[in-house]
Amino acid sequence: MDSEICTLLLLTCTIIHVISNKVRRKLNYKLPPGPSPLALVANLVELSKRPQQTLAKLAKLHGPIMCLKLGQLTTIVISSPDIAKEVLQTHDLLFSNRTIPQATTVHNHNHYSLPFLPVSPLWRDLRKICNNQLFNNKSLDASQNLRRKKLHELLNHVHACSLKGEAVDIGNVAFRTAINFLANTFFSLDFVNSVGEGEEYKGIVENLVRAIGTPNLVDFLPLLKMVDPQGIRRRSSTYISMLFVIFDRLIYKRLEFGDATIDDDMLDKLLNISQEDGQKMDHKKIKHLFLDLIVAGTDTTSYTIKCAMAELINNPNAMSKAKRELEQSIGIGNPIEESDVTRLPYLCAIIKETLRLHPAAPLLLPRKGNIDVEINGYTIPQGAQIFINVWAIGRDPSIWDNPNSFSPERFLGSEIDVKGRHSQLTPFGGGRRICPGLPLAMRMLHLMLGSLINGFDWKFENDVNPDIDMGQPLRAIPFRINK
C-alpha cells in the first residue's frame, strides 16, 4: 500500500477518533473495547490480506465484541457464538439492514440487490420468489437432470486427466462446474464448455468476484470516493456491464423466440412472474437477481470444494472413511444422485467440517444497526457496521476440541447444521438475511465433492500441499479406481 495512503489514513483516523470520542462522551455511549487507530493502521496491510485472521488476533487482546474506528465508520466485530446469536437471532430485526460497499453501488445495484437491499417491500418480494419459486425442493428436483449432465462432464474430464497422469486444478474445474450448474439451472445452457468456449464468461465472473471481495479503503473513508484509489469501483462497473449484456441477450432471445425444449428453468419462472405482476419482477430486476446469484454461487462453491479436497488429500484416514461410505452406499465409480446425500452422513460431516474451518465468507456480509442496541453490556450505535467473524468462531478452542484439526467425526450424530439455527456454525449467515441459495449450494457441494472422491484416488502434484487460504491453486493428480 502506498505510503501516501497510509499517511492520509493515519491523519484522518486520528482526527476522527478525537472527535468521535468527544461525541460518545456526550452521548454516554459505552462502546466495546478495541484497538487504537494507530494500531489499526499498523496492521493495515495484514488486515487487507487476511482480515478474518488479523481480527481474530485483535479479538484475543480486546475481547469477543470489539469496536474498530477506521475512518468515518464505526465497525463492530463479533467473535463469539453467544454474541453472534444476539445479532443473528435475538435482535435480528434491529440488525437486518446492511452497510453498502462501494463496489455494489455501480449500476445502482444496491437498489435491486437482494443481499444489500434494506428490509422493504422489494426485498420481501425477492425473498419470497427465491424461497417459493426458485430454491424450494420442487423446483430444485425439477432441474437436477441439468446438473447431472454437468457432473458427468466433470467426471469425464477428471477421468481423461487420470489416463494421462495430468494434474487437475481443483478450483478451476469446480468453478467451471459450479458456473455451469447455475447457468443450466437458470438458463438451460452452459456458460463454459469443455473446449474453452465461454471462457470469457468465466473470466468476467472471476474478475468481478475478485473486485467485490477486495477490502476497499473507500468503504472506511468515504472522502476517497472521488479518487477510487484501488480502482475497485471502475473494475466492478466494467464486469457488471459485461454480465448485463449477456443477460440482456438471453432474456431477449427467450422472449422473442422462446424454446420448446426448455422445461421451465429459472429464467422462465421469472419471466412468467414479470408478466403476471410487473411490480414484483421486471427485466431489470431479473438481471440484478441473476448477478447476485451467479456471483454468490460460483466462487464460494469452488472455494469450498477446493478446501474440502485439500483437507481430504492431506488426511488419508478421512478420505478412506468417505470412500468406504460411498462404496457401501453407492458403489465405486457409480454416479451420485442428489437424493443419495441423506444416506451419506460422513460426506455431510466433511462438508460441515470444511465450512467450519474454511468459510467462504469468513466475516459474513456486514449488517447495520437500525437503532442503538445494548449487547453484552456495550452499546452498538445506530449505523454501525457489524461483522460476524465466523472464521474465528469456527476455530475457537472454547467451542471446538482441537479446533485447527480437520475432523469430520465431530459432526457425526450431532444436531449442528448450517441453516442458521446454531450460532457456532453459520457460514451462510442466519435470521432473515440468511443466504436464500443455501438449498442449491448444499446440493451442489455434496454432489460435486462426493463424485470427485468416489472412483478416484488423489495426490498433490509434486507432493506440494498449497496454502489454499491464501488463494493458491490446488493441483492434484487423479488415479482411477477399478471397480
Side-chain angles (χ1 to χ4, degrees), residues 267-335:
L267 178 55
D268 267 351
K269 291 180 185 296
L270 293 174
L271 288 174
N272 288 338
I273 294 171
S274 71
Q275 291 170 1
E276 294 170 2
D277 188 344
Q279 291 295 315
K280 284 188 177 181
M281 185 59 59
D282 56 29
H283 296 181
K284 181 180 288 188
K285 292 173 185 174
I286 290 174
K287 291 193 301 180
H288 284 277
L289 181 58
F290 278 140
L291 171 63
D292 283 330
L293 297 178
I294 285 179
V295 169
T298 48
D299 190 67
T300 54
T301 300
S302 60
Y303 175 73
T304 303
I305 293 295
K306 182 174 74 168
C307 292
M309 286 294 294
E311 292 286 4
L312 286 171
I313 297 170
N314 202 41
N315 292 273
N317 186 47
M319 178 73 91
S320 296
K321 289 183 178 180
K323 286 179 176 294
R324 188 159 54 249
E325 179 182 73
L326 287 162
E327 179 182 358
Q328 293 171 352
S329 299
I330 310 297
I332 294 177
N334 290 335

Side-chain angles (χ1 to χ4, degrees), residues 185-196:
T185 303
F186 298 162
F187 310 113
S188 300
L189 53 76
D190 288 347
F191 265 16
V192 185
N193 69 25
S194 57
V195 296

